[in-house]
């Protein structure tokens, strides 16, 4: 009896470690992917660790699939006394993906993505009805040593955006600029650099037309339990104010993850996320102001259902 119990516990422990091992492998592959990626990828791992899935609202999302392969996603979000909802329909045919979304205010948004008409290239066409100035054409190109993204509005006086990154999967440097052809002014110019190795990513970006400097750090501490730590420091030159945020993540088991973060203003957040069935997630998050304990804590709830 004792031997049988010992073997059962060993099997359970092996299964858990094996599953967590593959979580780490996928995480490592995403870090060491060939090429520098796009400018938006600079510091993204740290941002996702520190801010993704935290919320103070109540959100419900359900996705269904038709026999023809059309995905229909309905979501509703309760923000205080306000309730917002939208329905998104996604159709994939060969390398073309079409997304059509209708929201509470009867806005119709359409995005058409053509993936790799030529190797490394992606074309995205988007527009919103009734906003006539929302039309945009975007091109993304990924190379082993460069990543380029260019977009232009579809109207008489469009806003033109260009971002580029050069480097490799270890180090990269890039810039992001936007130009308003109507006013003849640059509405945005940012710059950034990134350094990566097997378990660490560090990034430095200059944003808001040179007014703010952001440094971020992301580190895989313990691969088998998907234990991560991250930090972000943002300095505003105009206000001489610093914002420091640190956070961590840990997998209790292959299906349950806990996260926590705190900043130098005393705001502390925590969440627990459980995958109770494949691709279906339950997330409970909370926020407390440690400098005003008398105030009520904020709680958020998210439920995402997929077949």
């Amino acid at each position: 009896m004792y031997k049988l119990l010992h073997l059962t516990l060993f099997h359970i422990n092996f299964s858990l470690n094996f599953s967590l091992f593959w979580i780490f492998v996928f995480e490592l592959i995403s870090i060491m992917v060939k090429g520098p990626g796009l400018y938006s990828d600079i510091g993204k791992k740290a941002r996702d660790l520190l801010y993704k899935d935290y919320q103070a609202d109540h959100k419900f999302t359900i996705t269904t699939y038709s026999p023809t392969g059309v995905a229909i996603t309905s979501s509703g979000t309760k923000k205080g006394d306000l309730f917002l909802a939208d329905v998104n329909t996604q159709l994939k045919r060969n390398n073309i993906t079409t997304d059509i979304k209708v929201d509470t205010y009867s806005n119709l948004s359409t995005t058409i993505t053509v993936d790799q008409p030529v190797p490394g290239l992606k074309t995205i066409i988007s527009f919103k009805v009734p906003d006539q100035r929302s039309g945009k054409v975007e091109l993304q190109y990924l190379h082993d040593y460069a990543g380029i993204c260019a977009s232009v509005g579809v109207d008489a006086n469009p806003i033109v955006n260009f971002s580029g990154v050069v480097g490799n999967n270890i180090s990269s440097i890039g810039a992001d600029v936007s130009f308003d052809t109507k006013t003849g002014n640059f509405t945005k110019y940012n710059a950034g650099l990134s350094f990566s190795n097997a378990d660490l990513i560090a990034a430095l970006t200059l944003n808001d037309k040179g007014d703010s400097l952001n440094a971020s750090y992301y580190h895989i501490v313990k691969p088998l339990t998907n234990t991560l730590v991250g930090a972000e420091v943002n300095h505003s030159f105009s206000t001489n104010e610093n914002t420091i945020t640190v956070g961590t993540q840990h997998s209790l088991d292959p299906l349950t993850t806990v996260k926590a973060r705190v900043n130098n203003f005393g705001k502390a957040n925590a969440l627990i996320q459980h995958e109770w069935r494949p691709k279906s997630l339950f997330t409970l998050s909370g926020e407390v102001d440690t400098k005003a304990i008398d105030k009520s804590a904020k709680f958020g709830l998210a439920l995402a259902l997929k077949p």
Side-chain angles (χ1 to χ4, degrees):
M1 181 68 181
Y2 174 79
K3 186 176 181 180
L4 178 61
L5 178 61
H6 179 75
L7 289 174
T8 302
L9 291 175
F10 174 80
H11 175 73
I12 293 173
N13 185 61
F14 175 79
S15 299
L16 291 174
N17 287 336
F18 186 75
S19 299
L20 290 169
F21 168 77
W22 281 110
I23 292 175
F24 165 68
V25 169
F26 291 131
E27 186 79 20
L28 184 60
I29 290 174
S30 67
I31 292 178
M32 302 305 293
V33 65
K34 199 172 184 180
L38 299 174
Y39 183 84
S40 58
D41 295 325
I42 295 179
K44 185 177 185 300
K45 284 287 185 179
R47 290 195 302 271
D48 286 349
L49 173 63
L50 294 174
Y51 303 108
K52 187 178 179 181
D53 296 323
Y54 289 102
Q55 62 176 5
D57 308 315
H58 297 163
K59 185 174 182 179
F60 177 78
T61 304
I62 183 170
T63 301
T64 58
Y65 294 90
S66 72
T68 57
V70 178
I72 301 175
T73 301
S74 303
S75 66
T77 304
K78 187 176 184 299
K79 296 177 175 288
D81 296 330
L82 184 65
F83 183 80
L84 304 174
D86 61 69
V87 178
N88 184 82
T89 302
Q90 184 181 82
L91 174 64
K92 292 184 178 181
R93 184 180 294 271
N94 298 325
N95 64 332
I96 301 176
T97 302
T98 303
D99 290 276
I100 301 174
K101 183 170 72 172
V102 181
D103 63 21
T104 307
Y105 301 104
S106 299
N107 293 314
L108 178 66
S109 304
T110 302
T111 303
I112 302 172
T113 304
V114 183
D115 195 16
Q116 301 217 38
V118 297
L121 182 67
K122 178 185 289 187
T123 303
I124 303 171
I125 302 171
S126 61
F127 57 89
K128 182 185 292 185
V129 178
D131 186 357
Q132 297 180 354
R133 294 198 62 188
S134 64
K136 184 174 71 172
V137 177
E138 179 177 332
L139 295 177
Q140 297 179 1
Y141 179 71
L142 292 175
H143 184 268
D144 291 349
Y145 301 103
I148 297 172
C149 180
S151 66
V152 59
V154 185
D155 61 359
N157 303 109
I159 294 177
V160 181
N161 182 269
F162 177 85
S163 63
V165 178
V166 294
N168 51 34
N169 60 339
I170 297 176
S171 60
S172 61
I173 185 170
D176 179 24
V177 297
S178 290
F179 181 77
D180 190 337
T181 59
K182 184 177 182 179
T183 62
N185 297 321
F186 284 97
T187 59
K188 176 176 67 175
Y189 40 87
N190 304 324
L193 56 89
S194 176
F195 171 81
S196 307
N197 66 15
D199 59 359
L200 180 147
I201 300 177
L204 183 68
T205 57
L206 187 65
N207 306 311
D208 303 324
K209 299 181 180 180
D211 182 61
S212 65
L213 184 67
N214 182 284
S216 63
Y217 168 83
Y218 172 93
H219 181 52
I220 301 175
V221 178
K222 193 173 182 181
L224 288 180
T225 56
N226 197 28
T227 303
L228 315 172
V229 296
E232 180 185 70
V233 179
N234 189 79
H235 176 75
S236 174
F237 293 103
S238 59
T239 63
N240 199 32
E241 185 176 78
N242 294 318
T243 302
I244 303 171
T245 305
V246 295
T248 185
Q249 173 183 303
H250 176 76
S251 292
L252 301 177
D253 57 56
L255 302 177
T256 308
T257 299
V258 292
K259 294 175 66 175
R261 75 175 187 212
V262 64
N263 64 23
N264 59 318
F265 296 108
K267 294 289 182 66
N269 300 72
L271 71 79
I272 181 168
Q273 185 175 80
H274 179 68
E275 186 177 8
W276 58 281
R277 56 175 294 178
K279 300 181 181 179
S280 295
L281 301 173
F282 172 81
T283 307
L284 179 64
S285 58
E287 177 183 284
V288 62
D289 188 345
T290 60
K291 295 185 178 181
I293 299 297
D294 55 314
K295 293 184 178 179
S296 300
K298 298 178 181 179
F299 292 96
L301 177 67
L303 180 62
L305 304 178
K306 286 188 178 182

